[in-house]
Amino acid sequence: MDIYGDNTIDKILENPDKLQSISGLSAKNREAFVSTLRLNYGTEMVLAKLANYGIPNKLAFQIQDFYKEETLEIVENYPYQLVEDIKGLGFTIADQLAQELGIESQAPERFRAGLVHSLFQGCMETGDTYMEARDLLEQTLNLLESSRPVELEPSQVAQELAYLIEEDKVQQIDTKIFDNSLFFAEEGIRSHLIRILEKGQSKKQNLETIQEHIATVEEELGIEYDSIQKQAICAAIQNKVFILTGGPGTGKTTVINGIIAVYALLEGLDLKKKEQSAHSPSCSNWSRGSSHE
């Protein structure tokens, strides 16, 4: 205060050389002090600016932590980017911010953000990786018009969807529109499954032998599988790829235990011995050398 007077922080950042007059403050410590002061003071100013925009403190800290020194540039020039990058920040908050920054209701970037947001949210709600184009347009229009009470022209939103498809921002198959992350994840799974199915010939197991081993497992575990569970075990053993589905309490774990036990009997594996070795230092060596999956 004696050196800089009022508005000390601002003046230190403007003219840090005056700190040289302070005895006992080395050049290294002086640089570290100014650097920390600049960082913290900058953060405070950014958070204050975000608060002025009506962004809650928790989200403001997330935004600052994600974008660092680019925070204000992104927020003020690309507010809809926040919807994609910041978890918990929905379209409505970004749209209110965009409105305050002067972005019009019919701005193309607003339509695009609404489309991308509606597509991803729709997929999360239904469990699908796509939405029908008509449903996507309808939901996007509802989102846009509920966020700002302005009636929009559907053809304009449809045109932005066409641009998104052209730019590979979303994927299209017939009338289905796919979110990119979900589309390529599904494609990766499909390719992996095809690779498994096309890789060599699987060892065919005799159905009667499998059924005999199921009976053995039932006796050892003291349980009795119903006809559907037995069918699932047989199908899992006889096919390269098998998907087991069912709600809570339907016996999926019991079936999986049966699959493992029957497979072990067919391959002559001693599960008890494997379980014991899992607790020994050599278990990692065994797991690396095993070819069973």
Side-chain angles (χ1 to χ4, degrees):
M1 288 288 290
D2 292 339
I3 298 174
Y4 288 98
D6 296 335
N7 299 320
T8 303
I9 296 177
D10 288 333
K11 291 180 179 178
I12 290 175
L13 295 177
E14 289 174 6
N15 187 13
D17 292 340
K18 281 188 177 182
L19 294 174
Q20 296 178 15
S21 63
I22 300 177
S23 60
L25 185 63
S26 67
K28 183 178 180 180
N29 288 337
R30 185 171 62 251
E31 290 176 6
F33 170 72
V34 173
S35 177
T36 302
L37 186 63
R38 182 175 286 112
L39 176 63
N40 291 339
Y41 190 53
T43 299
E44 286 183 10
M45 292 183 66
V46 168
L47 293 176
K49 194 73 176 287
L50 294 179
N52 289 337
Y53 286 135
I55 297 175
N57 284 339
K58 183 178 179 180
L59 289 176
F61 278 109
Q62 285 182 252
I63 294 169
Q64 166 67 19
D65 186 58
F66 189 89
Y67 295 121
K68 308 297 184 189
E69 66 275 3
E70 296 181 342
T71 296
L72 289 181
E73 180 185 353
I74 297 294
V75 168
E76 294 179 345
N77 293 289
Y78 310 101
Y80 292 112
Q81 184 65 36
L82 275 63
V83 178
E84 298 181 33
D85 295 338
I86 308 300
K87 184 178 180 181
L89 195 151
F91 176 84
T92 302
I93 293 178
D95 196 38
Q96 291 172 352
L97 173 60
Q99 184 176 20
E100 187 170 340
L101 292 169
I103 296 178
E104 299 292 335
S105 299
Q106 298 185 352
E109 61 265 38
R110 181 171 185 259
F111 294 163
R112 293 163 69 94
L115 284 162
V116 172
H117 177 76
S118 296
L119 177 57
F120 185 77
Q121 288 300 118
C123 290
M124 292 297 100
E125 290 172 5
T126 62
D128 292 324
T129 56
Y130 69 90
M131 288 183 68
E132 289 290 340
R134 179 178 294 181
D135 295 336
L136 174 59
L137 289 172
E138 182 180 343
Q139 288 195 26
T140 302
L141 281 167
N142 288 338
L143 173 69
L144 295 171
E145 292 180 350
S146 64
S147 180
R148 299 193 203 179
V150 177
E151 188 173 352
L152 301 173
E153 177 57 48
S155 62
Q156 292 180 317
V157 181
Q159 182 60 61
E160 291 306 319
L161 176 57
Y163 290 148
L164 288 172
I165 294 169
E166 288 178 12
E167 298 166 14
D168 275 339
K169 300 294 185 181
V170 298
Q171 303 299 313
Q172 178 188 23
I173 297 179
D174 298 326
T175 60
K176 297 176 174 61
I177 308 299
F178 292 77
D179 171 85
N180 267 1
S181 62
L182 300 177
F183 177 83
F184 290 113
E186 188 173 62
E187 277 294 294
I189 293 170
R190 183 184 69 86
S191 299
H192 188 56
L193 289 175
I194 289 175
R195 182 186 63 79
I196 292 173
L197 292 171
E198 292 179 346
K199 184 180 178 181
Q201 294 292 325
S202 60
K203 182 180 178 181
K204 288 293 182 182
Q205 299 289 353
N206 182 275
L207 181 59
E208 291 184 4
T209 304
I210 296 174
Q211 292 172 338
E212 290 173 3
H213 287 323
I214 291 175
T216 301
V217 171
E218 286 179 317
E219 185 176 347
E220 289 181 352
L221 298 180
I223 61 175
E224 183 176 346
Y225 291 111
D226 61 31
S227 59
I228 295 178
Q229 290 175 320
K230 290 179 180 179
Q231 183 181 350
I233 294 172
C234 291
I237 296 295
Q238 291 183 309
N239 293 279
K240 287 184 176 181
V241 176
F242 176 77
I243 300 176
L244 178 67
T245 64
T250 55
K252 295 187 297 297
T253 302
T254 303
V255 171
I256 292 171
N257 289 337
I259 294 169
I260 295 171
V262 170
Y263 180 80
L265 291 172
L266 288 167
E267 297 294 326
L269 301 174
D270 187 344
L271 292 181
K272 292 182 180 179
K273 185 176 180 180
K274 299 300 183 187
E275 184 178 352
Q276 291 171 356
S277 68
H279 298 288
S280 70
S282 62
C283 68
S284 59
N285 295 329
W286 175 82
S287 63
R288 285 195 294 268
S290 175
S291 61
H292 301 290
E293 298 180 358

